[in-house]
Amino acid sequence: MNGKATTTRTRLERGRSALGPALELVHTGRAPTRAVLTAELGVTRATAGAVAAELEALGLIRVDSRPGAAAGSQGRPSHRLSVDDTGPVVLAAQVHADGFRAALVGLGGRIVATAPGCVTVQADPAQVLGEVVDAGAELLRRSGRRCVGAGLAVPSAVAEPEGTALNPLHLAWPAGAPVRDIFAERVSAAGITGPAFTGNDVNLAALAEHRHGAGRGAQHLLCVATGHRGVGGALVLDGRLHSGSSGLALEVGHLTVNPEGRPCHCGSRGCLDVETDPLAFLTAAGRNPGPEVSLLQRARDLLRGEYDDPSVRAAAEELIDRLGLGLAGLVNILNPDRIILGGLHRELLDADPDRLRAVVADRSLWGRSGGVPILACTLDHNSLVGAAELAWQPVLDDPLAALA
């Protein structure tokens, strides 16, 4: 009897220790069926079934009660697994040079609801983050959903472990603003449950794309993106976001790609940050950026709608060449197995993919031997989804403890 009890207890412990890995597999779409879950976890079918049932009881996933098999497949049909669309959510928020956005995000990276915010970001980070959290709290009130945490994406390097925004260059915020503490305080004051996290927007975009988008399956993923202003980079190594010793890795915006180019906010000249962002494109094309819409949207509209205009095409080619030069240098240093591009860089890749890939191949040692795949980011609002990933991580690590 004692032996049977011990065996049962051991199986139960193994099952509980597999809850987090199992949830992550379903969350990232890598375990669409219970059979795949069994194989990925390396457990028995009974254990995988118990784990799936526990996650379903927690309101995190759904197990199809009618197992099915793909057309043409052989063997016993397997129960399909999916995230529970009615389950808990996290509050995700993003602040950028042209405003902010709050959203509710479920498992699987699914955005449930969004609330765009102001157009002008105030110089006081506490005021801005208070407005962000208020917008998120209203979304939660209307949804009636349980919230298990909050995540914030900001256009600045975020120092670890302090959680301070060191260089919010395109915001009027003071350098070193304690954004993580401010955000956590506002979240708590609004009565929103769960821990609060803060990270750099491009880091979080890379995390989201690696789990749910164009970076899925890459071992060493390089992400470079330009949003509303400036250029950022991020690196995922062996499936984990690489942020360096203090959160400041991959400040790729300050690679020099044009020594005689535009002055940069960092004090240098011709950095990727000021040579390949939306303002650089609009300026090179001879267009007035104008205050009526965001720089990113204005640049996108111009590139999509007027690419046949010689001045627009010439500006795009100029930016592509400088972006390619910067990417080639990063390939030589980092040797990634995939590059993904976001923001306006995604549009430049779409406009002339052969030109960009040729520049990278010509300027990089490894590019000449076969090339590094260069793909467009595929997720809308990937920084928001990445902010949500920060908030979901404690649940992915230990679902029982996080939801207790």
Side-chain angles (χ1 to χ4, degrees):
M1 195 69 182
N2 286 338
K4 288 183 179 179
T6 300
T7 301
T8 301
R9 185 164 52 252
T10 301
R11 287 175 177 168
L12 185 61
E13 289 170 354
R14 285 176 181 169
R16 286 181 174 171
S17 67
L19 285 176
L23 181 60
E24 184 167 341
L25 287 167
V26 179
H27 170 63
T28 56
R30 290 178 290 154
T33 67
R34 206 168 70 185
V36 176
L37 183 68
T38 301
E40 289 288 334
L41 293 177
V43 298
T44 65
R45 286 168 50 193
T47 298
V51 167
E54 181 72 14
L55 292 174
E56 186 174 36
L58 290 171
L60 297 172
I61 73 169
R62 286 182 173 174
V63 181
D64 192 337
S65 59
R66 294 170 297 175
S73 64
Q74 296 181 349
R76 179 182 297 181
S78 181
H79 295 272
R80 296 184 183 91
L81 307 178
S82 61
V83 299
D84 189 337
D85 293 339
T86 65
V89 295
V90 297
L91 167 62
Q94 180 183 10
V95 178
H96 51 72
D98 294 316
F100 65 74
R101 184 179 295 270
L104 305 183
V105 183
L107 282 167
R110 294 183 67 258
I111 296 178
V112 175
T114 61
C118 65
V119 175
T120 302
V121 177
Q122 301 298 322
D124 180 5
Q127 178 180 346
V128 176
L129 296 184
E131 293 175 0
V132 169
V133 172
D134 287 345
E138 177 60 19
L139 287 176
L140 282 168
R141 186 191 66 77
R142 293 204 304 262
S143 74
R145 303 279 281 271
R146 178 183 181 184
C147 183
V148 295
L152 169 70
V154 293
S156 168
V158 177
E160 299 291 350
E162 301 89 350
T164 54
L166 291 187
N167 60 339
L169 297 177
H170 305 293
L171 301 177
W173 293 359
V179 289
R180 180 176 299 159
D181 289 346
I182 295 172
F183 182 61
E185 289 168 2
R186 295 299 186 271
V187 166
S188 177
I192 298 172
T193 56
F197 303 88
T198 302
N200 168 262
D201 53 2
V202 180
N203 277 352
L204 299 182
L207 181 62
E209 292 285 345
H210 184 261
R211 290 183 174 179
H212 307 291
R216 186 181 293 174
Q219 284 296 108
H220 308 294
L221 176 69
L222 171 63
C223 175
V224 177
T226 175
H228 299 260
R229 290 291 304 276
V231 175
L235 185 66
V236 177
L237 293 176
D238 291 322
R240 300 186 68 85
L241 188 66
H242 175 73
S243 57
S245 61
S246 55
L248 309 180
L250 270 291
E251 281 291 317
V252 304
H254 301 291
L255 289 174
T256 300
V257 293
N258 182 16
E260 305 303 320
R262 300 173 178 85
C264 182
H265 308 277
C266 71
S268 186
R269 182 177 289 274
C271 294
L272 205 62
D273 201 69
V274 292
E275 295 291 335
T276 67
D277 79 341
L279 181 60
F281 174 63
L282 294 170
T283 303
R287 300 302 201 271
N288 183 351
E292 68 279 2
V293 295
S294 77
L295 291 175
L296 178 58
Q297 191 59 52
R298 176 81 173 98
R300 279 175 167 163
D301 291 345
L302 184 63
L303 192 57
R304 293 171 180 173
E306 301 182 45
Y307 191 67
D308 290 337
D309 185 308
S311 64
V312 175
R313 183 182 292 270
E317 290 176 348
E318 177 182 300
L319 261 71
I320 287 170
D321 290 347
R322 289 174 182 165
L323 174 61
L325 183 62
L327 292 178
L330 291 168
V331 167
N332 289 338
I333 295 169
L334 301 172
N335 189 27
D337 60 15
R338 194 179 308 175
I339 298 171
I340 57 173
L341 302 178
L344 184 62
H345 292 167
R346 176 173 65 176
E347 313 290 339
L348 292 171
L349 174 64
D350 290 342
D352 197 341
D354 291 340
R355 186 184 186 97
L356 179 60
R357 290 176 177 130
V359 173
V360 176
D362 184 60
R363 294 295 190 120
S364 61
L365 296 170
W366 319 124
R368 295 174 185 168
S369 65
V372 181
I374 304 175
L375 306 175
C377 290
T378 58
L379 299 178
D380 292 330
H381 309 302
N382 52 16
S383 292
L384 265 182
V385 176
E389 291 298 314
L390 288 183
W392 275 116
Q393 194 58 53
V395 181
L396 297 175
D397 290 339
D398 190 340
L400 284 175
L403 298 180

